[in-house]
Amino acid sequence: MVYVKWFVLLLFWTLFAAFLHYSLPKYDVVRIVNTHEERIDLDDWTRIFWSDPTAQSKRLMNRDVQFIQGVRGNGRTIVYRNEDTGWGWPPYFKFDTANLYTEANDLVSTKTDPQWVAVRYFGWRSIFFSIFPNAISITPVDGPEDKPFNWFSTLFLITFGGLFGYGYYRWRRFRRDRLSPAFDEVSDNFSAAGDAISRKRNRFQAWLDTWKTKK
């Protein structure tokens, strides 16, 4: 039973960590090499990794999606999708897909004359499942090492850790001061009731044995 408990806890925190890693913003410093638009099928489980900002889009089995192609300073490639998040999750309230696409096109550069940009995004990149992170904003930077500090994610995780730690501390105190005494009292009451029943049963048995002897 202990192993099942730890397995459930490990599974829960692993899924929660994955959820945060997917949803929280991250930064890449890249050189934009191209932008394009492509028709994407949305007829399998990977649909959850594509935005559904409108009720109409939820009924579509495929749609046109804008992409931004980039190359990192180490030469590795990365492709971002450019979709509105609307009022959905994560709550980035992105409605400027067209503007961002225009900015990306304006910042396209070559290897000989690079223009480095910091792309703020959320999500994951999976070649096998054709999953792409969603670009939120693009900011020009001086070089491939000029990566912005991720203030939002850092402050969020510190705040969340503090609130969780405080909540856990208060729960431990509540369990120690309120629940444990209440459970102990209930256990004592059950024990006392069991002892009383046992004494009555013994007295009845003694009376029954006496009655049988007299007969």
Side-chain angles (χ1 to χ4, degrees):
M1 191 65 181
V2 175
Y3 294 108
V4 174
K5 172 187 173 182
W6 283 109
F7 174 77
V8 171
L9 287 174
L10 180 62
L11 179 63
F12 170 80
W13 285 113
T14 299
L15 293 176
F16 185 71
F19 171 76
L20 288 182
H21 187 266
Y22 180 87
S23 302
L24 290 176
K26 296 174 280 291
Y27 286 95
D28 272 342
V29 175
V30 302
R31 176 173 56 86
I32 298 177
V33 297
N34 190 30
T35 62
H36 71 279
E37 192 168 305
E38 183 178 338
R39 196 74 173 174
I40 298 297
D41 292 327
L42 304 172
D43 56 353
D44 59 10
W45 68 272
T46 59
R47 185 188 183 98
I48 63 175
F49 296 106
W50 299 88
S51 296
D52 279 326
T54 64
Q56 181 180 3
S57 68
K58 294 180 180 180
R59 297 191 295 267
L60 296 176
M61 289 296 99
N62 54 67
R63 67 166 180 262
D64 292 329
V65 178
Q66 297 172 353
F67 291 92
I68 300 170
Q69 298 170 268
V71 177
R72 297 189 177 102
N74 59 8
R76 299 184 64 180
T77 60
I78 180 69
V79 180
Y80 307 93
R81 58 190 168 98
N82 180 30
E83 293 189 286
D84 285 340
T85 61
W87 301 97
W89 186 267
Y92 289 99
F93 309 113
K94 180 187 174 187
F95 298 95
D96 61 344
T97 293
N99 291 345
L100 191 65
Y101 196 61
T102 303
E103 291 178 32
N105 277 289
D106 188 48
L107 291 168
V108 171
S109 63
T110 63
K111 191 173 184 179
T112 56
D113 186 21
Q115 167 63 68
W116 298 99
V117 297
V119 179
R120 187 170 182 255
Y121 69 96
F122 74 89
W124 299 323
R125 175 70 174 113
S126 172
I127 298 176
F128 184 78
F129 293 113
S130 295
I131 298 171
F132 301 88
N134 193 359
I136 302 300
S137 64
I138 299 174
T139 305
V141 294
D142 294 332
E145 305 300 327
D146 192 18
K147 187 175 183 179
F149 185 75
N150 199 338
W151 285 105
F152 180 86
S153 295
T154 301
L155 293 176
F156 177 88
L157 292 175
I158 291 174
T159 302
F160 174 79
L163 291 175
F164 177 80
Y166 178 74
Y168 182 71
Y169 167 74
R170 296 297 300 178
W171 163 251
R172 290 289 298 268
R173 288 197 60 181
F174 177 76
R175 187 175 66 177
R176 183 193 66 192
D177 299 338
R178 299 293 181 87
L179 293 183
S180 293
F183 287 145
D184 291 341
E185 183 179 356
V186 171
S187 178
D188 292 341
N189 290 338
F190 275 116
S191 297
D195 293 340
I197 293 173
S198 180
R199 288 194 298 271
K200 289 181 179 180
R201 186 176 63 245
N202 291 337
R203 286 199 297 269
F204 176 77
Q205 186 64 43
W207 176 84
L208 186 62
D209 293 340
T210 302
W211 181 78
K212 288 182 179 179
T213 302
K214 290 180 178 181
K215 286 188 66 176

